[in-house]
Amino acid sequence: MQILFISSGSIGDAIISTGILGHLMDEYPEAAFTVAAGPAAAPLFGACPRIKRVIPMVKQPLNRHWIELWQQTNATKWDVVVDLRGSIISYILNTRHRIIFRKPDKSLSKAEQLAALLGLKPPPPTRLWSSDEMRTRARELLPHGKTVIVLAPKTNSTAKDWPLDRFAELARSLYKEGVVFAVLASALQQQAIQPLFMTMPSDRILDLSGKTDLLTAYAVIEQATLFIGNDSGLLHMAAAAKTPCVGIYGPSNDKTYAPHGNHVRIVTAIDFKPGEEEKRDNSYMQMIGVPRVESAARELW
């Protein structure tokens, strides 16, 4: 059985889609899966033994990336095509069954919208996959015998970044003997987070910025006791890993995109309505004080 799964371009959305991808894997244990996703998200699927092929979709002018995807998938007779992008090629591929995401119901969260495609309620939990090699690499990066709390202070939008000095204050409040704070960020974000490392002794805080790929970062989060971060793909990784996690949401709509679960706490600046558009203002993260985030963290830890 051959199943084509066309996922999202962003890391967060791609992780949200793994809920229904995992459900399909459970429903069809003998099926072989091909996953197409944007280049940022494609590595997330690389360690899954059920996925025989991952196709990175690099955006091109005149939508040529869709033509290339059709060229790479048209020769296969598919049993199921699941298209979360609502593309035209899903209608012309040779398949016995099509599941296509069209107009979203904005009264539902993103996870609920995708689950509704398969008639599922509530949405199945998200999941990710890592290898023994990645777990070994993560253990090499982390200090032995320490309680690890992961901090993820940066996103791709400054409007979604909780101030660094508040992350520092939070870490000082949560610190106790045997704890180390591991900071995850990309190499491009490395310089921006350096002030954080001047606020604590070096044996209490570890700079992992630029030292992990996506799945090694996931393996680090798997081994953590607690995760605290902004609205980003790393937060969704923590939720998928079942690591207790606190998400800090300012201008983005937590009702639509935040992860869910008993191991998740979301701290918000404003009370969004379902489907309400996110704000375009850098001030919202300033509204969230350290005590609220600390309280959420202590509920879980």
Side-chain angles (χ1 to χ4, degrees):
M1 187 175 185
Q2 301 286 336
I3 297 178
L4 173 63
F5 190 87
I6 303 175
S7 187
S8 303
S10 73
I11 293 171
D13 283 358
I15 296 173
I16 292 172
S17 79
T18 64
I20 63 170
L21 175 61
H23 175 82
L24 290 169
M25 290 178 176
D26 294 341
E27 285 290 299
Y28 304 105
E30 303 302 321
F33 286 78
T34 296
V35 173
L44 293 170
F45 303 97
C48 178
R50 296 289 307 281
I51 297 174
K52 70 171 188 177
R53 186 183 181 195
V54 179
I55 304 174
M57 293 178 60
V58 180
K59 189 174 179 62
Q60 298 183 40
L62 304 177
N63 288 325
R64 286 201 298 269
H65 50 286
W66 289 111
I67 298 172
E68 288 192 1
L69 179 61
W70 179 81
Q71 291 171 338
Q72 294 182 71
T73 56
N74 187 51
T76 302
K77 184 174 181 180
W78 301 99
D79 293 281
V80 182
V81 171
V82 181
D83 183 359
L84 305 185
R85 308 280 287 275
S87 67
I88 190 68
I89 72 163
S90 300
Y91 294 94
I92 58 177
L93 285 173
N94 185 359
T95 182
R96 295 171 57 192
H97 186 48
R98 294 177 177 84
I99 301 172
I100 302 174
F101 185 73
R102 298 183 181 89
K103 187 176 180 180
D105 180 351
K106 292 189 176 181
S107 68
L108 302 176
S109 71
K110 187 69 173 180
E112 290 170 332
Q113 293 171 25
L114 299 184
L117 288 173
L118 304 183
L120 302 175
K121 192 174 181 179
T126 57
R127 63 180 82 176
L128 287 174
W129 305 266
S130 58
S131 66
D132 290 341
E133 178 185 354
M134 292 162 184
R135 293 188 184 99
T136 298
R137 171 63 176 150
R139 284 192 292 269
E140 291 171 348
L141 290 170
L142 297 172
H144 179 69
K146 296 287 188 178
T147 297
V148 176
I149 297 178
V150 170
L151 303 179
K154 292 297 290 181
T155 69
N156 291 328
S157 167
T158 56
K160 297 181 180 181
D161 289 347
W162 200 43
L164 273 184
D165 61 339
R166 296 186 192 181
F167 270 104
E169 182 182 342
L170 174 67
R172 290 193 297 270
S173 296
L174 291 175
Y175 178 76
K176 61 183 180 181
E177 188 67 31
V179 168
V180 65
F181 295 93
V183 182
L184 287 174
S186 71
L188 294 176
Q189 296 165 340
Q190 191 170 33
Q191 185 175 356
I193 65 171
Q194 287 312 299
L196 186 58
F197 301 102
M198 302 174 188
T199 64
M200 297 184 75
S202 59
D203 62 340
R204 298 183 185 182
I205 192 163
L206 179 64
D207 183 2
L208 297 183
S209 58
K211 297 177 182 177
T212 65
D213 57 21
L214 270 184
L215 289 182
T216 304
Y218 176 69
V220 166
I221 293 169
E222 277 186 312
Q223 297 179 43
T225 298
L226 180 67
F227 173 98
I228 304 170
N230 304 308
D231 169 23
S232 70
L234 290 172
L235 172 63
H236 287 278
M237 282 188 184
K242 302 299 184 289
T243 298
C245 53
V246 178
I248 309 169
Y249 275 67
S252 48
N253 191 335
D254 62 294
K255 301 288 196 311
T256 301
Y257 286 108
H260 299 279
N262 293 332
H263 62 299
V264 179
R265 298 291 184 274
I266 302 299
V267 182
T268 62
I270 55 176
D271 185 17
F272 275 95
K273 298 176 182 177
E276 185 179 351
E277 293 296 322
E278 68 176 41
K279 308 301 181 183
R280 303 290 181 181
D281 192 324
N282 288 7
S283 66
Y284 286 96
M285 294 302 265
Q286 300 284 345
M287 300 178 185
I288 301 173
V290 172
R292 290 183 61 205
V293 181
E294 181 181 353
S295 176
R298 293 193 182 279
E299 280 185 31
L300 296 170
W301 181 52

